[in-house]
PDB file of all heavy atoms in Angstrom:
ATOM      1  N   GLU A 286      -2.943  18.966  16.530  1.00 91.00           N
ATOM      2  CA  GLU A 286      -2.058  17.769  16.679  1.00 91.00           C
ATOM      3  C   GLU A 286      -0.944  17.903  15.686  1.00 91.00           C
ATOM      4  O   GLU A 286       0.093  17.136  15.959  1.00 91.00           O
ATOM      5  CB  GLU A 286      -3.030  16.558  16.351  1.00 91.00           C
ATOM      6  CG  GLU A 286      -2.643  15.190  16.935  1.00 91.00           C
ATOM      7  CD  GLU A 286      -3.760  14.238  16.313  1.00 91.00           C
ATOM      8  OE1 GLU A 286      -4.793  14.424  16.431  1.00 91.00           O
ATOM      9  OE2 GLU A 286      -3.252  13.295  16.048  1.00 91.00           O
ATOM     10  N   GLY A 287      -1.258  18.511  14.648  1.00 94.00           N
ATOM     11  CA  GLY A 287      -0.072  18.643  13.615  1.00 94.00           C
ATOM     12  C   GLY A 287       0.505  20.069  13.531  1.00 94.00           C
ATOM     13  O   GLY A 287       0.003  20.960  14.227  1.00 94.00           O
ATOM     14  N   CYS A 288       1.471  20.194  12.751  1.00 96.00           N
ATOM     15  CA  CYS A 288       2.207  21.439  12.581  1.00 96.00           C
ATOM     16  C   CYS A 288       2.014  21.973  11.192  1.00 96.00           C
ATOM     17  O   CYS A 288       2.298  21.212  10.173  1.00 96.00           O
ATOM     18  CB  CYS A 288       3.673  21.274  12.842  1.00 96.00           C
ATOM     19  SG  CYS A 288       3.994  20.597  14.515  1.00 96.00           S
ATOM     20  N   ASP A 289       1.587  23.284  11.091  1.00 95.00           N
ATOM     21  CA  ASP A 289       1.453  23.927   9.739  1.00 95.00           C
ATOM     22  C   ASP A 289       2.805  24.542   9.249  1.00 95.00           C
ATOM     23  O   ASP A 289       3.490  25.127  10.020  1.00 95.00           O
ATOM     24  CB  ASP A 289       0.380  24.911   9.887  1.00 95.00           C
ATOM     25  CG  ASP A 289      -0.116  25.579   8.694  1.00 95.00           C
ATOM     26  OD1 ASP A 289       0.479  25.169   7.498  1.00 95.00           O
ATOM     27  OD2 ASP A 289      -0.880  26.508   8.646  1.00 95.00           O
ATOM     28  N   THR A 290       3.123  24.181   8.025  1.00 96.00           N
ATOM     29  CA  THR A 290       4.248  24.888   7.485  1.00 96.00           C
ATOM     30  C   THR A 290       3.982  25.667   6.072  1.00 96.00           C
ATOM     31  O   THR A 290       4.844  25.855   5.373  1.00 96.00           O
ATOM     32  CB  THR A 290       5.376  23.717   7.167  1.00 96.00           C
ATOM     33  OG1 THR A 290       4.815  22.830   6.301  1.00 96.00           O
ATOM     34  CG2 THR A 290       5.870  23.166   8.403  1.00 96.00           C
ATOM     35  N   GLY A 291       2.726  25.982   5.997  1.00 95.00           N
ATOM     36  CA  GLY A 291       2.230  26.482   4.671  1.00 95.00           C
ATOM     37  C   GLY A 291       2.497  27.882   4.497  1.00 95.00           C
ATOM     38  O   GLY A 291       2.421  28.356   3.279  1.00 95.00           O
ATOM     39  N   THR A 292       2.848  28.747   5.540  1.00 96.00           N
ATOM     40  CA  THR A 292       3.165  30.056   5.283  1.00 96.00           C
ATOM     41  C   THR A 292       4.576  30.418   6.140  1.00 96.00           C
ATOM     42  O   THR A 292       4.869  29.576   7.072  1.00 96.00           O
ATOM     43  CB  THR A 292       2.144  31.035   5.826  1.00 96.00           C
ATOM     44  OG1 THR A 292       1.996  30.827   7.225  1.00 96.00           O
ATOM     45  CG2 THR A 292       0.760  30.800   5.178  1.00 96.00           C
ATOM     46  N   PRO A 293       5.209  31.369   5.681  1.00 97.00           N
ATOM     47  CA  PRO A 293       6.498  31.740   6.528  1.00 97.00           C
ATOM     48  C   PRO A 293       6.139  31.766   8.011  1.00 97.00           C
ATOM     49  O   PRO A 293       6.893  31.297   8.864  1.00 97.00           O
ATOM     50  CB  PRO A 293       6.944  33.056   5.881  1.00 97.00           C
ATOM     51  CG  PRO A 293       6.482  32.994   4.501  1.00 97.00           C
ATOM     52  CD  PRO A 293       5.113  32.307   4.621  1.00 97.00           C
ATOM     53  N   ALA A 294       5.123  32.473   8.453  1.00 97.00           N
ATOM     54  CA  ALA A 294       4.835  32.698   9.843  1.00 97.00           C
ATOM     55  C   ALA A 294       4.452  31.298  10.458  1.00 97.00           C
ATOM     56  O   ALA A 294       4.935  30.986  11.635  1.00 97.00           O
ATOM     57  CB  ALA A 294       3.656  33.543  10.092  1.00 97.00           C
ATOM     58  N   ALA A 295       3.654  30.374   9.819  1.00 97.00           N
ATOM     59  CA  ALA A 295       3.305  29.166  10.290  1.00 97.00           C
ATOM     60  C   ALA A 295       4.598  28.217  10.458  1.00 97.00           C
ATOM     61  O   ALA A 295       4.773  27.582  11.498  1.00 97.00           O
ATOM     62  CB  ALA A 295       2.226  28.452   9.441  1.00 97.00           C
ATOM     63  N   TRP A 296       5.399  28.355   9.501  1.00 97.00           N
ATOM     64  CA  TRP A 296       6.570  27.564   9.405  1.00 97.00           C
ATOM     65  C   TRP A 296       7.552  27.918  10.597  1.00 97.00           C
ATOM     66  O   TRP A 296       8.082  27.217  11.335  1.00 97.00           O
ATOM     67  CB  TRP A 296       7.319  27.725   8.142  1.00 97.00           C
ATOM     68  CG  TRP A 296       8.724  27.172   7.999  1.00 97.00           C
ATOM     69  CD1 TRP A 296       9.117  25.858   7.840  1.00 97.00           C
ATOM     70  CD2 TRP A 296       9.924  27.865   8.093  1.00 97.00           C
ATOM     71  NE1 TRP A 296      10.389  25.817   7.868  1.00 97.00           N
ATOM     72  CE2 TRP A 296      10.973  27.126   8.009  1.00 97.00           C
ATOM     73  CE3 TRP A 296      10.187  29.300   8.321  1.00 97.00           C
ATOM     74  CZ2 TRP A 296      12.255  27.426   8.093  1.00 97.00           C
ATOM     75  CZ3 TRP A 296      11.540  29.704   8.250  1.00 97.00           C
ATOM     76  CH2 TRP A 296      12.502  28.765   8.172  1.00 97.00           C
ATOM     77  N   ALA A 297       7.602  29.320  10.757  1.00 97.00           N
ATOM     78  CA  ALA A 297       8.484  29.690  11.900  1.00 97.00           C
ATOM     79  C   ALA A 297       7.992  29.175  13.292  1.00 97.00           C
ATOM     80  O   ALA A 297       8.734  28.807  14.164  1.00 97.00           O
ATOM     81  CB  ALA A 297       8.577  31.257  11.898  1.00 97.00           C
ATOM     82  N   ALA A 298       6.621  29.346  13.346  1.00 96.00           N
ATOM     83  CA  ALA A 298       5.915  28.850  14.691  1.00 96.00           C
ATOM     84  C   ALA A 298       6.212  27.296  14.816  1.00 96.00           C
ATOM     85  O   ALA A 298       6.429  26.860  15.982  1.00 96.00           O
ATOM     86  CB  ALA A 298       4.441  29.206  14.654  1.00 96.00           C
ATOM     87  N   THR A 299       6.217  26.567  13.797  1.00 97.00           N
ATOM     88  CA  THR A 299       6.385  25.153  13.762  1.00 97.00           C
ATOM     89  C   THR A 299       7.800  24.894  14.256  1.00 97.00           C
ATOM     90  O   THR A 299       7.989  23.940  15.034  1.00 97.00           O
ATOM     91  CB  THR A 299       6.118  24.610  12.426  1.00 97.00           C
ATOM     92  OG1 THR A 299       4.662  24.511  12.295  1.00 97.00           O
ATOM     93  CG2 THR A 299       6.591  22.970  12.376  1.00 97.00           C
ATOM     94  N   ASN A 300       8.788  25.583  13.724  1.00 97.00           N
ATOM     95  CA  ASN A 300      10.134  25.449  14.191  1.00 97.00           C
ATOM     96  C   ASN A 300      10.254  25.773  15.641  1.00 97.00           C
ATOM     97  O   ASN A 300      10.947  24.913  16.397  1.00 97.00           O
ATOM     98  CB  ASN A 300      11.204  26.361  13.447  1.00 97.00           C
ATOM     99  CG  ASN A 300      11.766  25.666  12.305  1.00 97.00           C
ATOM    100  OD1 ASN A 300      12.572  24.835  12.457  1.00 97.00           O
ATOM    101  ND2 ASN A 300      11.293  25.969  11.067  1.00 97.00           N
ATOM    102  N   ALA A 301       9.620  26.883  16.144  1.00 95.00           N
ATOM    103  CA  ALA A 301       9.705  27.100  17.586  1.00 95.00           C
ATOM    104  C   ALA A 301       9.106  25.900  18.426  1.00 95.00           C
ATOM    105  O   ALA A 301       9.561  25.474  19.464  1.00 95.00           O
ATOM    106  CB  ALA A 301       8.899  28.415  17.916  1.00 95.00           C
TER     107      ALA A 301
END
Side-chain angles (χ1 to χ4, degrees):
E286 207 183 311
C288 297
D289 185 3
T290 58
T292 62
W296 169 79
T299 286
N300 265 287

